[in-house]
Amino acid sequence: MFNERSLPMLATLVVFFVLYGYGFVEYKGFRDSLVLTNLLTDNAFLIVTAVGMTFVILSGGIDLSVGSMIAFIGVLMASLITGFGMHPILAMIISLVVGTAFGAIMGYIIAHFEIQPFIVTLAGMFLFRGLAYLINLDAVPINHPFISDLADIYISVPGRGGLTFIAIVMLLAVAAGIIVARRTRFGMNVYALGGDTQSAELLGVPIKSTQIRIYALSGFFSSLSGVVFAIYTGSAYPLAAVGVELDAIAAVVIGGTLLTGGVGFVFGTFLGGLIQGVIQTLIAFDGTLNSWWTKIAVGGLLFLFIILQKVIVHWVRRYSGNRGSA
Amino acid sequence: MNKQFWLKHQKAIGPVVSLLVIILGTALLTPGFLKLQMIDGHLYGSLLDVLHRGTPTALVALGMAVVIGTKGIDLSVGAVIAICGAVAAVLTVNTDWPVIVVLLAAMGAGMACGLWNGFLVAVLGVQPIVATLILMVAGRGIAQMITGGQIVTFHSDTLNAIGNGFFLAVPIRVWIAIFIVAFTMFLMRKTALGMFIEAIGANARSSRLVGIEARTLVVIAYMFSGLCASIAGIILAADIRGADANNAGLWLELDAILAVVIAGGALSGGRIYLGLTMIGVLIIQTLTTAILTSGLPAQYNLIVKATIVLLVLLIQSPRTRQTISAYLARKGARKDV
């Protein structure tokens, strides 16, 4: 466990505790459990998206379509519920299936036509945003007793805090991500693919079908995030979640996953998403800093972690006799 | 025209034909699309509008084509546009410096951004997507810091002229773009610079072995991209007479990358097609203008763009080429029998 692969994630853990500890010491209000549970709720959609993105980046790819997917799924779900009078559960299932299918199609194009993921998912990004506009141009409220019931679920924890439904969904998604990554054959294949595609192929990893499944999985997680986002805001908006793909990539990188693929942990991504939330909360508690400092701070952290990864990789190469295990 | 000409310009056929088809198609759907009018000594018309609206994209795509030639990518150009627009606006409002100094300062800011990207890529060896992602995330925050979080509006006759003025019946910004594109083409084709950059993109190691100073050239490529983005930023700020840190140049990097890809520039590097990239820009801009003038709701814009990009990608993909060449080989073999 204590090797060069987990070092970046340990660094992430330290950064999280340092930031959270700073808030704990500096601000009285920060000590309440409400801050922590709000952190889970407010960053749920980002973390759910980032879990899917972790698999994509572990395999050495990238998915730029996730932000548009969140907006598209939200608008789709809203129109199914309010426009077609569908029960929310059915609407959610349809939304998840549609999102997963779109992810699989992108994966198919990437795997079979050998086009760079970057460009295919870029086209996907335009397409989903366009489809969202096509369904609806304005923000629409999602009014359904079932949705408000879900939004009202609140499991109290010591202090004033409590877990909301979407925080629970997020935690379950993270747990599922960890299990899929570490305990299934598919997860192992993803790591193998990102480590070295050629050796993976020689070892019998089905490259193409794994790639399709990776992007389908990312489609599933980002559409789940769309559902979470719709419950969180109680509405759907085609311009929602602009730029979330970058936040998700940042969460994955800050979480210690190597962008070259092959090394990283879903739990690290969870921490990476929380760190972005903590930065935001700290800036809100400070009160004198403007919100744009969040972007600068996240950019700075991104830089630090990339440098850290470089140093570790360099260090490992040097001391493991050029085997280049990272 | 002889066979050699066709062979030499084989790559150009697809993009050029696509552009003509799109222009003709639009002209059929929207009467008056091809009409150009002279009003008060200025040319007006949809085609000129395409050029006018397309100049920022063209400039950004120019820098992007060079960066992609080194096997890189520059995601930060949108943020750089916001930063440089902010610098130009704030200096115009808060100082009484001559316009030329303000412009040089904004361009300097763009080159500094490029230097940072180039440093990460060439010196620290960070992947280009990641290296430029940092500035993409942080850049708009920096731009907001410069403008104090507000949309800074300004008045300057020279900047207004850059944004909306005319020279010899054609918008000044189009002249600026033509001049920069022509100068870059000259540098890339008539000096060794272009060959060096393509050599780095094709094979960084062997180019170093033949003595090409790869690091410096990569840094220069990113600085050039930053410079192009800064000029686009100045034009966009001058156009609306203000700097909007949140929205200036939003998603322009994607249009620029699409322009390079549509033109057949492989993202794997080693090739710079500046002329074709400009045709790619015209294709994207004509499509946008065509959708707007055709009366189709603007929301179709993204879907049409995405569909066309996917089609172009599928046609250009190695798999399709293999299938076609296998088909042609079979056909050829049958003929031989």
Side-chain angles (χ1 to χ4, degrees):
Chain A
M1 188 62 201
F2 215 73
N3 58 20
E4 78 279 357
R5 278 158 198 268
S6 48
L7 258 180
M9 199 184 77
L10 285 175
T12 313
L13 203 62
V14 170
V15 168
F16 176 74
F17 280 122
V18 166
L19 286 174
Y20 206 85
Y22 171 77
F24 209 82
V25 173
E26 200 74 4
Y27 308 108
K28 228 176 165 181
F30 217 91
R31 292 168 206 168
D32 198 283
S33 64
L34 189 66
V35 171
L36 184 67
T37 51
N38 276 358
L39 212 56
L40 296 179
T41 305
D42 296 339
N43 296 287
F45 77 98
L46 171 63
I47 294 175
V48 171
T49 315
V51 169
M53 185 72 83
T54 311
F55 286 90
V56 178
I57 291 182
L58 275 176
S59 76
I62 201 147
D63 188 349
L64 295 179
S65 71
V66 293
S68 304
M69 180 77 97
I70 293 172
F72 166 61
I73 291 297
V75 177
L76 176 71
M77 202 172 90
S79 92
L80 287 179
I81 293 172
T82 41
F84 292 83
M86 216 174 253
H87 191 272
I89 291 185
L90 187 61
M92 281 177 202
I93 292 172
I94 292 178
S95 301
L96 291 178
V97 170
V98 169
T100 314
F102 270 130
I105 292 171
M106 286 193 292
Y108 180 84
I109 294 174
I110 291 165
H112 282 269
F113 289 90
E114 289 159 34
I115 307 174
Q116 293 207 2
F118 178 82
I119 272 298
V120 175
T121 55
L122 186 64
M125 172 192 209
F126 280 127
L127 189 69
F128 302 145
R129 192 66 72 183
L131 288 175
Y133 284 132
L134 201 61
I135 298 176
N136 203 325
L137 268 184
D138 308 305
V140 280
I142 306 176
N143 291 321
H144 195 282
F146 185 75
I147 296 281
S148 21
D149 283 349
L150 285 183
D152 286 341
I153 293 176
Y154 198 74
I155 302 173
S156 291
V157 297
R160 283 187 297 149
L163 290 176
T164 55
F165 174 71
I166 59 174
I168 297 166
V169 170
M170 182 270 281
L171 292 174
L172 288 177
V174 171
I178 292 174
I179 292 169
V180 171
R182 307 300 292 183
R183 291 278 172 267
T184 63
R185 162 145 300 202
F186 167 73
M188 294 298 120
N189 286 349
V190 172
Y191 277 93
L193 201 63
D196 185 342
T197 315
Q198 273 183 335
S199 348
E201 196 163 15
L202 290 175
L203 284 170
V205 173
I207 303 290
K208 286 183 178 169
S209 71
T210 307
Q211 264 182 327
I212 295 172
R213 280 188 218 166
I214 288 167
Y215 288 92
L217 192 74
S218 179
F220 172 78
F221 274 107
S222 48
S223 48
L224 181 63
S225 171
V227 171
V228 164
F229 194 75
I231 299 173
Y232 176 57
T233 57
S235 67
Y237 181 41
L239 260 175
V242 166
V244 164
E245 50 282 336
L246 300 178
D247 293 338
I249 296 170
V252 175
V253 174
I254 293 174
T257 299
L258 277 189
L259 264 142
T260 37
V263 179
F265 300 94
V266 173
F267 185 69
T269 300
F270 171 65
L271 289 176
L274 283 186
I275 285 178
Q276 293 190 35
V278 173
I279 293 174
Q280 226 154 19
T281 317
L282 282 176
I283 286 168
F285 268 77
D286 179 87
T288 60
L289 289 175
N290 284 302
S291 64
W292 58 76
W293 280 102
T294 317
K295 292 177 187 171
I296 298 176
V298 170
L301 267 185
L302 210 58
F303 174 66
L304 277 180
F305 273 87
I306 289 164
I307 298 307
L308 177 79
Q309 292 180 353
K310 283 275 152 200
V311 170
I312 291 170
V313 169
H314 182 77
W315 180 68
V316 167
R317 288 239 171 93
R318 194 156 162 198
Y319 291 99
S320 64
N322 242 348
R323 269 178 292 135
S325 57
Chain B
M1 271 173 253
N2 57 24
K3 204 174 168 188
Q4 226 172 1
F5 177 88
W6 284 115
L7 277 177
K8 201 178 160 198
H9 297 280
Q10 210 180 8
K11 273 241 165 205
I13 297 171
V16 171
V17 170
S18 320
L19 179 61
L20 290 178
V21 168
I22 290 168
I23 290 180
L24 287 177
T26 316
L28 285 178
L29 288 172
T30 325
F33 186 79
L34 296 175
K35 213 164 95 188
L36 281 174
Q37 274 178 304
M38 271 299 230
I39 303 172
D40 296 338
H42 301 337
L43 271 176
Y44 283 98
S46 293
L47 283 180
L48 204 68
D49 195 50
V50 168
L51 292 179
H52 186 255
R53 293 276 147 235
T55 37
T57 321
L59 286 169
V60 173
L62 185 72
M64 189 70 78
V66 174
V67 168
I68 288 179
T70 69
K71 210 170 187 172
I73 202 150
D74 190 350
L75 295 182
S76 70
V77 285
V80 174
I81 285 173
I83 292 175
C84 297
V87 169
V90 167
L91 288 181
T92 310
V93 172
N94 292 345
T95 66
D96 41 2
W97 294 359
V99 180
I100 184 74
V101 178
V102 172
L103 293 183
L104 285 177
M107 282 149 76
M111 283 166 70
C113 292
L115 182 65
W116 161 258
N117 286 333
F119 169 76
L120 288 182
V121 173
V123 180
L124 296 184
V126 180
Q127 273 172 290
I129 289 188
V130 188
T132 54
L133 179 74
I134 296 173
L135 195 55
M136 187 182 188
V137 172
R140 285 192 189 275
I142 295 171
Q144 272 173 325
M145 201 167 69
I146 296 171
T147 60
Q150 277 154 351
I151 297 180
V152 177
T153 53
F154 54 82
H155 181 81
S156 152
D157 290 330
T158 315
L159 284 175
N160 287 352
I162 291 176
N164 287 305
F166 282 80
F167 176 71
L168 293 179
V170 174
I172 290 175
R173 57 200 255 181
V174 175
W175 284 116
I176 295 176
I178 290 174
F179 174 74
I180 295 173
V181 171
F183 184 69
T184 313
M185 279 179 159
F186 170 77
L187 272 185
M188 291 295 158
R189 286 289 159 249
K190 298 296 172 201
T191 69
L193 197 63
M195 195 185 72
F196 285 166
I197 288 181
E198 290 189 341
I200 296 168
N203 192 332
R205 266 187 81 177
S206 52
S207 65
R208 205 185 61 225
L209 289 177
V210 297
I212 295 174
E213 189 45 68
R215 280 186 180 178
T216 318
L217 281 172
V218 169
V219 173
I220 288 175
Y222 282 93
M223 284 176 75
F224 176 69
S225 173
L227 177 65
C228 288
S230 72
I231 299 169
I234 292 169
I235 289 176
L236 283 168
D239 191 1
I240 61 165
R241 298 179 192 190
D244 180 352
N246 276 324
N247 298 312
L250 196 64
W251 308 134
L252 209 61
E253 55 270 21
L254 305 181
D255 273 357
I257 295 167
L258 290 185
V260 178
V261 174
I262 284 184
L267 281 177
S268 45
R271 286 284 173 272
I272 305 175
Y273 303 109
L274 296 181
L276 287 182
T277 300
M278 291 306 119
I279 290 173
V281 171
L282 289 178
I283 289 178
I284 289 175
Q285 198 59 45
T286 312
L287 269 177
T288 311
T289 310
I291 292 166
L292 290 176
T293 53
S294 68
L296 221 76
Q299 60 265 35
Y300 287 94
N301 194 342
L302 288 170
I303 297 182
V304 172
K305 226 184 238 179
T307 315
I308 289 184
V309 170
L310 271 178
L311 279 177
V312 171
L313 287 175
L314 290 179
I315 292 168
Q316 287 184 354
S317 80
R319 171 90 167 205
T320 317
R321 279 197 201 146
Q322 277 167 21
T323 316
I324 291 176
S325 57
Y327 172 76
L328 289 179
R330 241 184 297 140
K331 222 174 148 188
R334 228 177 281 149
K335 243 182 222 162
D336 289 341
V337 177

